[in-house]
Amino acid sequence: CGGSVSDSSGVLQSPNYPGNYPNDADCVWEIQVENNFRVTLTFRDIVMQSGTCQHDYIEVYDGPLHSSPLLGRFCSGSFPTYVSSSNMMSVRFHSDSSYSFRGFQAHYSSIPAGHNTTIQCLPDYMHVVVSRDYLQSQGYSAQRVTLNNNRCRPTVTPREVVFNIPYNGCGTTQEENNDTINYSNTIRVASSGYVIKRKKNIDLHISCKMLRKSWQQVVYAAEDTVDVDEYQFGRYNMNITFYDSPAFQRQVRGSPYYIDLNQNLYLQACLHSSDPNLKVVVDTCVASPDPRDFNTLAYYLVRNGCPRDSSYATYYSPSSHFARFKFNAFEFMSRHPSVYLKCQMLVCRLGDFSSHCYRGCSSRAKRDTSSAEEEVDVVVGPLQLRGGDAPSGSTG
């Protein structure tokens, strides 16, 4: 149950709905809609253990679970509606070990947030557009729009004032919390410099909150990586590439990637970010014959930084934005025509020795990341055996 949801509208419901939900469930849905839209969530059915809501309950958060305001916690009563203040909302469903009921069903959709100011969180910078119609309606001139650092000038078009604000310059500040690394700046709109000042200055506080936790999926083919979406809540841009040797000089560009059993496979994860003070490491890699299901037939190479396969090893990397590792093509492949690999990468602050990037193998719970970490998910594949390899029927 739970997971990341990115469609513009949809339905959330408790496990087994309309049948009874299981005991000891803890499900978290992250709803992330299009850039400059908001999430509206309406509950249509709620049948749960009522009372003080200490045992079974639903929680709705205005953004990521661990760092956002709680909009509501409930287990019965009327059917509430919630609207997020950004393009992200989280919903948590919890049940204890006793009593079970039908649960809940809720519908969500995205609504425009208004377009006086729009923000895109791109891999290297914030792209911010301020409407000149809005400025003129408030009595301000486009020529008086600046950043804190007024050496970083906008582009002024007939309809818009456009800023491309780097994450590592122009006065951008950085802040960390449990779920995100936040990059913030302020656009100032100054009133005209008359002796008698009749208008107040406008400060537009803008922020890109880059999610620490997300999976990147890569198939066993270098060109089939999935780039991460960019929103007001954004995700770090990461890809994984296969190389033909431990020298990491020549990329494997064929798709699918045809391999032999017990062949060494060399991979490099690359974080695309203009922030030099980040470090990336491999946290978890799991293989599956189905790129949509990494639970039913899952084979872990490494989990929570702890190697599970004896052939798994890491390599020195020339940059903190790279993570290099290898494993052998395993017997798992002899029973399935294609294998996909899903890797969860950790992004941490460079030099933060309390983070899991520096601590290595850990038995922590999945959500128990430090304030200076972000998890990014990548899936690669497919890997396929060369034509001459006959299935042996064994499984790794």
Side-chain angles (χ1 to χ4, degrees), residues 7-88:
D7 294 335
S8 59
S9 62
V11 176
L12 305 184
Q13 55 193 31
S14 50
N16 303 330
Y17 181 91
N20 284 11
Y21 52 78
N23 291 328
D24 298 314
D26 198 57
C27 313
V28 178
W29 292 267
E30 286 186 344
I31 308 170
Q32 187 173 320
V33 296
E34 194 176 338
N35 198 27
N36 300 301
F37 279 70
R38 294 179 182 174
V39 182
T40 178
L41 178 73
T42 301
F43 286 83
R44 304 285 178 84
D45 187 21
I46 305 171
V47 179
M48 299 171 61
Q49 183 178 0
S50 58
T52 60
C53 299
Q54 295 298 309
H55 305 287
D56 299 354
Y57 55 83
I58 302 164
E59 293 177 329
V60 179
Y61 291 85
D62 191 14
L65 180 70
H66 298 292
S67 58
S68 303
L70 178 65
L71 297 177
R73 175 175 172 151
F74 51 93
C75 56
S76 62
S78 59
F79 301 157
T81 294
Y82 297 97
V83 179
S84 65
S85 60
S86 72
N87 64 321
M88 189 171 186

Coordinates of all heavy atoms in Angstrom, one line a residue, residues 7-88:
D7 N -0.3 11.2 -11.2 CA -1.4 11.5 -12.1 C -2.1 12.8 -11.7 O -2.1 13.2 -10.5 CB -2.4 10.4 -12.2 CG -1.7 9.1 -12.9 OD1 -0.8 9.3 -13.6 OD2 -2.2 8.0 -12.6
S8 N -2.7 13.5 -12.6 CA -3.4 14.7 -12.3 C -4.7 14.5 -11.4 O -5.2 15.4 -10.8 CB -3.8 15.5 -13.5 OG -4.7 14.7 -14.4
S9 N -5.2 13.3 -11.4 CA -6.3 13.0 -10.6 C -6.3 11.5 -10.3 O -5.7 10.7 -11.1 CB -7.7 13.4 -11.2 OG -7.9 12.7 -12.4
G10 N -7.0 11.0 -9.3 CA -7.0 9.6 -9.0 C -7.8 9.3 -7.7 O -8.4 10.1 -7.1
V11 N -7.7 8.0 -7.3 CA -8.4 7.5 -6.1 C -7.4 6.9 -5.2 O -6.5 6.1 -5.6 CB -9.4 6.5 -6.5 CG1 -10.1 5.9 -5.3 CG2 -10.5 7.1 -7.4
L12 N -7.5 7.2 -3.9 CA -6.7 6.5 -2.8 C -7.7 5.7 -2.0 O -8.8 6.2 -1.7 CB -6.0 7.5 -1.9 CG -5.1 8.5 -2.5 CD1 -4.4 9.3 -1.4 CD2 -4.0 7.9 -3.4
Q13 N -7.3 4.5 -1.6 CA -8.2 3.7 -0.7 C -7.3 2.8 0.2 O -6.2 2.5 -0.2 CB -9.2 3.0 -1.5 CG -8.6 2.1 -2.6 CD -9.7 1.6 -3.5 OE1 -10.7 2.3 -3.8 NE2 -9.5 0.4 -4.1
S14 N -7.9 2.4 1.3 CA -7.2 1.6 2.2 C -7.0 0.2 1.6 O -7.8 -0.2 0.7 CB -8.0 1.5 3.5 OG -9.3 1.2 3.3
P15 N -6.0 -0.6 2.0 CA -5.8 -1.9 1.5 C -7.1 -2.8 1.6 O -7.8 -2.8 2.6 CB -4.7 -2.5 2.3 CG -4.0 -1.3 2.9 CD -5.0 -0.3 3.1
N16 N -7.4 -3.5 0.5 CA -8.5 -4.5 0.4 C -9.9 -3.8 0.3 O -10.9 -4.4 0.3 CB -8.6 -5.4 1.6 CG -7.3 -6.2 1.8 OD1 -6.6 -6.5 0.8 ND2 -7.0 -6.6 3.0
Y17 N -9.9 -2.4 0.3 CA -11.2 -1.7 0.2 C -12.0 -2.2 -1.0 O -11.4 -2.4 -2.1 CB -10.9 -0.2 0.1 CG -12.2 0.6 0.0 CD1 -12.8 1.1 1.1 CD2 -12.8 0.9 -1.2 CE1 -14.0 1.9 1.1 CE2 -14.0 1.6 -1.3 CZ -14.5 2.1 -0.2 OH -15.7 2.9 -0.2
P18 N -13.3 -2.5 -0.9 CA -14.2 -2.2 0.3 C -14.2 -3.3 1.3 O -15.0 -3.3 2.2 CB -15.6 -2.0 -0.4 CG -15.5 -2.9 -1.6 CD -14.1 -2.9 -2.1
G19 N -13.3 -4.3 1.1 CA -13.2 -5.3 2.2 C -12.5 -4.7 3.4 O -12.0 -3.6 3.3
N20 N -12.4 -5.5 4.5 CA -11.7 -5.0 5.7 C -10.2 -4.8 5.5 O -9.6 -5.7 4.9 CB -12.0 -5.9 6.9 CG -13.4 -5.8 7.4 OD1 -14.2 -5.1 6.8 ND2 -13.7 -6.4 8.5
Y21 N -9.7 -3.7 6.0 CA -8.2 -3.5 5.9 C -7.5 -4.4 6.9 O -8.0 -4.9 7.9 CB -7.9 -2.0 6.2 CG -8.4 -1.5 7.5 CD1 -7.8 -1.7 8.7 CD2 -9.5 -0.6 7.4 CE1 -8.3 -1.2 9.9 CE2 -10.0 0.0 8.6 CZ -9.4 -0.3 9.8 OH -9.9 0.2 11.0
P22 N -6.2 -4.7 6.6 CA -5.4 -5.6 7.5 C -5.0 -4.9 8.8 O -5.0 -3.7 8.8 CB -4.2 -6.0 6.6 CG -4.0 -4.8 5.7 CD -5.4 -4.3 5.4
N23 N -4.7 -5.7 9.7 CA -4.1 -5.1 11.0 C -2.6 -4.7 10.7 O -2.0 -5.2 9.8 CB -4.1 -6.2 12.1 CG -5.5 -6.4 12.6 OD1 -6.4 -5.6 12.5 ND2 -5.8 -7.7 13.0
D24 N -2.1 -3.8 11.5 CA -0.7 -3.4 11.5 C -0.3 -2.9 10.2 O 0.8 -3.1 9.7 CB 0.2 -4.5 12.0 CG -0.1 -5.0 13.4 OD1 -0.3 -4.1 14.3 OD2 -0.2 -6.2 13.6
A25 N -1.2 -2.1 9.5 CA -0.8 -1.5 8.2 C -0.3 -0.1 8.5 O -0.7 0.6 9.5 CB -2.1 -1.4 7.3
D26 N 0.6 0.4 7.7 CA 1.1 1.7 7.8 C 1.5 2.2 6.3 O 2.5 1.8 5.8 CB 2.3 1.8 8.7 CG 2.6 3.3 9.1 OD1 1.7 3.9 9.7 OD2 3.7 3.8 8.9
C27 N 0.6 2.9 5.7 CA 0.7 3.2 4.3 C 0.8 4.7 4.1 O 0.1 5.5 4.8 CB -0.6 2.8 3.5 SG -1.1 1.1 3.9
V28 N 1.8 5.1 3.3 CA 2.0 6.6 3.0 C 1.9 6.8 1.5 O 2.7 6.2 0.7 CB 3.3 7.1 3.6 CG1 3.5 8.5 3.2 CG2 3.4 6.9 5.1
W29 N 1.0 7.6 1.1 CA 0.9 8.0 -0.3 C 1.5 9.4 -0.5 O 1.1 10.3 0.3 CB -0.5 8.0 -0.8 CG -1.2 6.7 -0.9 CD1 -1.2 5.9 -2.0 CD2 -1.9 6.0 0.1 NE1 -1.9 4.8 -1.8 CE2 -2.4 4.8 -0.5 CE3 -2.2 6.3 1.4 CZ2 -3.1 3.9 0.3 CZ3 -2.9 5.4 2.1 CH2 -3.4 4.2 1.6
E30 N 2.4 9.7 -1.4 CA 2.9 11.0 -1.7 C 2.2 11.4 -3.1 O 2.5 10.8 -4.1 CB 4.4 11.0 -1.9 CG 5.2 10.9 -0.6 CD 6.7 11.1 -0.8 OE1 7.1 11.0 -1.9 OE2 7.4 11.4 0.2
I31 N 1.4 12.4 -3.0 CA 0.7 12.9 -4.2 C 1.5 14.1 -4.7 O 1.6 15.1 -4.0 CB -0.8 13.3 -4.0 CG1 -1.5 12.1 -3.3 CG2 -1.5 13.7 -5.2 CD1 -2.9 12.5 -2.8
Q32 N 2.0 14.0 -5.9 CA 2.8 15.1 -6.5 C 2.3 15.4 -7.9 O 2.4 14.6 -8.8 CB 4.3 14.7 -6.5 CG 5.2 15.8 -7.0 CD 6.7 15.4 -6.8 OE1 7.1 14.7 -5.9 NE2 7.5 15.8 -7.8
V33 N 1.6 16.6 -8.0 CA 1.0 16.9 -9.3 C 1.8 17.9 -10.0 O 3.0 18.2 -9.7 CB -0.5 17.5 -9.0 CG1 -1.4 16.5 -8.4 CG2 -0.4 18.8 -8.2
E34 N 1.3 18.4 -11.1 CA 2.1 19.2 -12.1 C 2.6 20.5 -11.4 O 2.0 21.0 -10.5 CB 1.2 19.5 -13.3 CG 2.0 20.0 -14.5 CD 1.0 20.2 -15.7 OE1 0.0 19.5 -15.7 OE2 1.4 21.0 -16.6
N35 N 3.6 21.0 -12.0 CA 4.2 22.2 -11.6 C 3.2 23.4 -11.5 O 2.4 23.5 -12.4 CB 5.3 22.6 -12.6 CG 6.3 23.6 -12.1 OD1 6.5 23.7 -10.9 ND2 6.9 24.4 -13.0
N36 N 3.2 24.1 -10.4 CA 2.3 25.3 -10.2 C 0.8 24.9 -10.2 O 0.0 25.7 -10.5 CB 2.6 26.3 -11.3 CG 4.0 26.9 -11.2 OD1 4.4 27.4 -10.2 ND2 4.7 26.7 -12.3
F37 N 0.6 23.7 -9.7 CA -0.8 23.2 -9.4 C -0.8 22.8 -7.9 O 0.2 22.7 -7.3 CB -1.2 22.0 -10.3 CG -1.7 22.4 -11.7 CD1 -0.8 22.9 -12.6 CD2 -3.0 22.3 -12.0 CE1 -1.2 23.3 -13.9 CE2 -3.5 22.7 -13.3 CZ -2.6 23.1 -14.2
R38 N -2.0 22.7 -7.4 CA -2.2 22.3 -6.0 C -3.1 21.0 -6.0 O -3.7 20.7 -7.0 CB -2.9 23.4 -5.2 CG -2.1 24.6 -5.0 CD -2.8 25.7 -4.2 NE -2.0 26.9 -4.1 CZ -2.4 28.0 -3.6 NH1 -3.6 28.1 -3.1 NH2 -1.6 29.1 -3.5
V39 N -3.0 20.3 -4.9 CA -3.8 19.1 -4.7 C -5.0 19.3 -3.9 O -4.9 20.0 -2.8 CB -2.9 18.0 -4.0 CG1 -3.7 16.7 -3.9 CG2 -1.6 17.8 -4.7
T40 N -6.1 18.9 -4.4 CA -7.4 18.9 -3.6 C -7.8 17.5 -3.4 O -7.8 16.7 -4.3 CB -8.5 19.7 -4.3 OG1 -9.7 19.7 -3.5 CG2 -8.8 19.2 -5.7
L41 N -8.1 17.1 -2.1 CA -8.3 15.8 -1.7 C -9.7 15.7 -1.0 O -9.9 16.4 0.0 CB -7.2 15.2 -0.8 CG -7.3 13.8 -0.2 CD1 -7.1 12.8 -1.3 CD2 -6.3 13.6 0.9
T42 N -10.6 14.9 -1.4 CA -11.9 14.8 -0.8 C -12.2 13.3 -0.4 O -12.0 12.4 -1.3 CB -13.0 15.2 -1.8 OG1 -12.8 16.6 -2.1 CG2 -14.4 15.2 -1.1
F43 N -12.6 13.1 0.8 CA -12.9 11.7 1.3 C -14.3 11.4 1.0 O -15.2 12.3 1.3 CB -12.6 11.6 2.8 CG -11.1 11.5 3.1 CD1 -10.3 12.7 3.1 CD2 -10.4 10.3 3.2 CE1 -8.9 12.6 3.3 CE2 -9.1 10.2 3.4 CZ -8.3 11.4 3.5
R44 N -14.6 10.2 0.4 CA -15.9 9.9 0.1 C -16.5 8.8 1.0 O -17.7 8.6 1.0 CB -15.9 9.3 -1.4 CG -15.4 10.3 -2.4 CD -16.3 11.4 -2.7 NE -15.7 12.4 -3.7 CZ -15.8 12.2 -5.0 NH1 -16.3 11.1 -5.5 NH2 -15.3 13.1 -5.8
D45 N -15.7 8.1 1.7 CA -16.1 7.0 2.6 C -15.1 6.8 3.7 O -13.9 6.7 3.4 CB -16.3 5.7 1.8 CG -16.9 4.6 2.6 OD1 -17.6 4.9 3.6 OD2 -16.8 3.4 2.2
I46 N -15.6 6.7 4.9 CA -14.7 6.5 6.1 C -15.4 5.6 7.0 O -16.4 6.0 7.6 CB -14.3 7.8 6.8 CG1 -13.6 8.8 5.9 CG2 -13.3 7.4 7.9 CD1 -13.4 10.2 6.5
V47 N -14.9 4.3 7.2 CA -15.5 3.4 8.2 C -14.3 2.8 8.9 O -13.6 1.9 8.3 CB -16.4 2.3 7.6 CG1 -16.9 1.4 8.7 CG2 -17.5 3.0 6.8
M48 N -13.9 3.3 10.1 CA -12.8 2.8 10.8 C -13.1 2.7 12.3 O -14.2 3.2 12.7 CB -11.6 3.8 10.6 CG -11.2 3.9 9.2 SD -9.9 5.2 8.9 CE -8.6 4.6 9.9
Q49 N -12.2 2.2 13.1 CA -12.3 2.1 14.5 C -12.3 3.6 15.0 O -11.3 4.3 14.9 CB -11.1 1.4 15.1 CG -11.2 1.2 16.6 CD -10.1 0.4 17.2 OE1 -9.2 -0.1 16.5 NE2 -10.1 0.2 18.5
S50 N -13.4 4.0 15.6 CA -13.6 5.4 15.9 C -13.2 5.6 17.4 O -12.6 4.7 18.0 CB -15.0 5.9 15.7 OG -15.9 5.1 16.4
G51 N -13.4 6.8 17.9 CA -13.0 7.1 19.3 C -12.0 8.2 19.3 O -12.2 9.3 18.6
T52 N -10.9 8.0 19.9 CA -9.8 9.0 20.0 C -8.9 9.0 18.9 O -7.9 9.8 18.8 CB -9.1 8.8 21.3 OG1 -8.4 7.5 21.3 CG2 -10.0 8.9 22.5
C53 N -9.0 8.1 17.9 CA -8.2 7.9 16.7 C -6.7 7.7 17.1 O -5.8 8.1 16.5 CB -8.2 9.2 15.8 SG -9.8 9.6 15.2
Q54 N -6.5 6.9 18.2 CA -5.2 6.5 18.6 C -4.8 5.2 18.0 O -3.6 4.8 18.0 CB -5.1 6.4 20.2 CG -5.3 7.7 20.9 CD -4.2 8.7 20.5 OE1 -3.1 8.4 20.6 NE2 -4.7 9.9 20.1
H55 N -5.8 4.4 17.6 CA -5.5 3.0 17.1 C -5.4 3.0 15.6 O -4.4 2.6 15.0 CB -6.6 2.1 17.7 CG -6.7 2.1 19.2 ND1 -5.7 1.6 20.0 CD2 -7.7 2.7 19.9 CE1 -6.1 1.8 21.3 NE2 -7.3 2.4 21.3
D56 N -6.5 3.3 14.9 CA -6.6 3.4 13.5 C -6.9 4.8 13.1 O -7.8 5.4 13.7 CB -7.7 2.5 12.9 CG -7.5 1.0 13.3 OD1 -6.4 0.7 13.8 OD2 -8.4 0.2 13.0
Y57 N -6.2 5.3 12.1 CA -6.4 6.7 11.8 C -5.9 7.1 10.4 O -5.1 6.3 9.8 CB -5.8 7.7 12.8 CG -4.3 7.4 13.0 CD1 -3.3 8.0 12.2 CD2 -3.9 6.7 14.1 CE1 -2.0 7.8 12.4 CE2 -2.5 6.4 14.4 CZ -1.6 7.0 13.5 OH -0.3 6.8 13.8
I58 N -6.3 8.2 9.9 CA -5.8 8.8 8.6 C -5.2 10.2 8.9 O -5.7 10.9 9.7 CB -6.9 9.0 7.6 CG1 -7.6 7.7 7.3 CG2 -6.4 9.6 6.3 CD1 -8.9 7.8 6.6
E59 N -4.0 10.4 8.4 CA -3.4 11.8 8.5 C -3.1 12.4 7.1 O -2.7 11.6 6.2 CB -2.0 11.7 9.3 CG -2.2 11.2 10.7 CD -0.8 11.1 11.4 OE1 0.1 10.7 10.7 OE2 -0.8 11.3 12.6
V60 N -3.3 13.7 7.0 CA -3.1 14.4 5.8 C -2.1 15.5 6.0 O -2.3 16.3 7.0 CB -4.4 15.0 5.2 CG1 -4.1 15.7 3.9 CG2 -5.4 13.9 5.0
Y61 N -1.0 15.5 5.3 CA 0.1 16.5 5.4 C 0.2 17.4 4.2 O 0.0 17.0 3.1 CB 1.4 15.8 5.7 CG 1.5 15.1 7.0 CD1 1.0 13.8 7.1 CD2 2.1 15.7 8.1 CE1 1.1 13.1 8.4 CE2 2.2 15.0 9.3 CZ 1.7 13.7 9.4 OH 1.8 13.1 10.6
D62 N 0.6 18.6 4.5 CA 0.7 19.7 3.4 C 2.1 19.6 2.8 O 2.8 20.6 2.9 CB 0.4 21.0 4.0 CG 0.2 22.1 2.9 OD1 0.1 21.7 1.7 OD2 0.3 23.3 3.2
G63 N 2.4 18.5 2.2 CA 3.8 18.3 1.7 C 4.3 16.9 2.1 O 3.6 16.0 2.4
P64 N 5.7 16.7 2.1 CA 6.3 15.5 2.6 C 5.9 15.2 4.0 O 5.7 16.1 4.8 CB 7.8 15.7 2.4 CG 7.9 16.8 1.4 CD 6.7 17.7 1.6
L65 N 5.9 13.9 4.3 CA 5.3 13.4 5.6 C 6.1 14.0 6.8 O 5.5 14.5 7.8 CB 5.4 11.9 5.7 CG 4.9 11.2 7.0 CD1 3.4 11.4 7.1 CD2 5.3 9.7 7.0
H66 N 7.4 14.0 6.8 CA 8.2 14.3 8.0 C 8.5 15.7 8.2 O 9.0 16.1 9.3 CB 9.5 13.5 8.0 CG 9.3 12.0 8.0 ND1 8.8 11.3 9.0 CD2 9.5 11.1 7.0 CE1 8.7 10.0 8.7 NE2 9.1 9.8 7.5
S67 N 8.2 16.6 7.3 CA 8.6 18.0 7.4 C 7.5 19.0 7.1 O 7.8 20.1 6.8 CB 9.9 18.3 6.5 OG 9.6 18.0 5.2
S68 N 6.3 18.5 7.0 CA 5.2 19.4 6.6 C 4.1 19.5 7.6 O 3.9 18.6 8.5 CB 4.6 18.9 5.3 OG 5.5 18.8 4.3
P69 N 3.3 20.6 7.6 CA 2.2 20.8 8.6 C 1.2 19.7 8.4 O 0.9 19.2 7.3 CB 1.7 22.1 8.3 CG 2.7 22.8 7.5 CD 3.5 21.8 6.8
L70 N 0.7 19.2 9.6 CA -0.4 18.3 9.6 C -1.7 19.0 9.3 O -2.1 19.9 10.1 CB -0.5 17.5 10.9 CG -1.6 16.5 11.2 CD1 -1.5 15.3 10.2 CD2 -1.7 16.1 12.6
L71 N -2.4 18.7 8.2 CA -3.7 19.3 7.9 C -4.9 18.7 8.7 O -5.8 19.4 9.0 CB -4.0 19.2 6.4 CG -3.0 19.9 5.5 CD1 -3.3 19.7 4.0 CD2 -2.9 21.4 5.8
G72 N -4.8 17.4 9.0 CA -5.9 16.8 9.7 C -5.5 15.4 10.1 O -4.8 14.7 9.4
R73 N -6.1 14.9 11.2 CA -6.0 13.5 11.6 C -7.4 13.1 12.1 O -8.0 13.8 12.9 CB -5.0 13.4 12.8 CG -4.9 12.0 13.4 CD -3.9 11.9 14.4 NE -3.9 10.6 15.1 CZ -2.9 10.0 15.6 NH1 -1.7 10.5 15.5 NH2 -3.0 8.8 16.2
F74 N -7.9 12.0 11.5 CA -9.3 11.6 11.8 C -9.5 10.1 11.6 O -8.6 9.4 11.0 CB -10.3 12.4 10.9 CG -9.9 12.4 9.5 CD1 -10.4 11.4 8.6 CD2 -9.0 13.3 8.9 CE1 -10.1 11.3 7.3 CE2 -8.6 13.2 7.6 CZ -9.2 12.2 6.8
C75 N -10.6 9.6 12.0 CA -10.9 8.2 11.9 C -12.4 7.9 11.7 O -12.8 6.8 11.4 CB -10.4 7.3 13.1 SG -11.0 7.9 14.7
S76 N -13.2 9.0 11.7 CA -14.6 8.9 11.5 C -15.2 10.2 11.3 O -14.5 11.2 11.3 CB -15.3 8.2 12.7 OG -15.1 8.9 13.9
G77 N -16.5 10.3 11.2 CA -17.2 11.6 11.1 C -17.5 12.0 9.7 O -17.6 11.2 8.8
S78 N -17.6 13.3 9.5 CA -17.9 13.9 8.1 C -16.8 13.6 7.2 O -15.7 13.3 7.6 CB -18.3 15.3 8.2 OG -17.2 16.1 8.8
F79 N -17.0 13.8 5.9 CA -16.0 13.6 4.9 C -15.3 14.9 4.5 O -15.9 15.8 3.8 CB -16.7 13.0 3.6 CG -17.4 11.7 3.9 CD1 -18.4 11.3 3.0 CD2 -17.1 10.9 4.9 CE1 -19.1 10.1 3.2 CE2 -17.7 9.7 5.2 CZ -18.8 9.3 4.3
P80 N -14.1 15.1 5.0 CA -13.4 16.4 4.8 C -12.8 16.5 3.4 O -12.6 15.5 2.7 CB -12.3 16.3 5.9 CG -12.0 14.9 6.0 CD -13.3 14.2 5.8
T81 N -12.5 17.8 3.1 CA -11.7 18.1 1.9 C -10.5 18.9 2.2 O -10.6 19.8 3.1 CB -12.6 18.9 0.9 OG1 -13.7 18.1 0.4 CG2 -11.8 19.4 -0.3
Y82 N -9.4 18.6 1.7 CA -8.1 19.4 2.0 C -7.5 19.9 0.7 O -7.6 19.2 -0.4 CB -7.1 18.5 2.7 CG -7.6 18.0 4.0 CD1 -8.2 16.7 4.1 CD2 -7.5 18.8 5.1 CE1 -8.6 16.3 5.4 CE2 -7.9 18.3 6.4 CZ -8.5 17.1 6.5 OH -8.9 16.6 7.7
V83 N -6.9 21.0 0.7 CA -6.2 21.6 -0.4 C -4.8 22.0 0.0 O -4.6 22.6 1.0 CB -6.9 22.9 -0.9 CG1 -6.1 23.5 -2.1 CG2 -8.3 22.6 -1.3
S84 N -3.8 21.5 -0.8 CA -2.4 21.8 -0.4 C -2.0 23.2 -0.8 O -2.6 23.8 -1.6 CB -1.5 20.8 -1.2 OG -1.6 21.0 -2.6
S85 N -0.9 23.7 -0.2 CA -0.4 25.0 -0.5 C 0.7 24.9 -1.6 O 1.2 26.0 -2.0 CB 0.2 25.6 0.8 OG 1.2 24.9 1.3
S86 N 1.1 23.7 -2.0 CA 2.1 23.5 -3.1 C 1.6 22.4 -4.0 O 0.4 22.1 -4.0 CB 3.5 23.2 -2.5 OG 3.4 21.9 -2.0
N87 N 2.5 21.8 -4.8 CA 2.1 20.8 -5.7 C 2.2 19.4 -5.0 O 2.3 18.4 -5.8 CB 2.9 20.8 -7.0 CG 4.4 20.6 -6.7 OD1 5.0 21.0 -5.7 ND2 5.0 19.9 -7.6
M88 N 2.3 19.3 -3.7 CA 2.5 18.0 -3.1 C 1.7 17.9 -1.8 O 1.5 18.9 -1.0 CB 4.0 17.8 -2.7 CG 4.3 16.4 -2.3 SD 6.0 16.1 -2.2 CE 6.0 14.3 -1.8

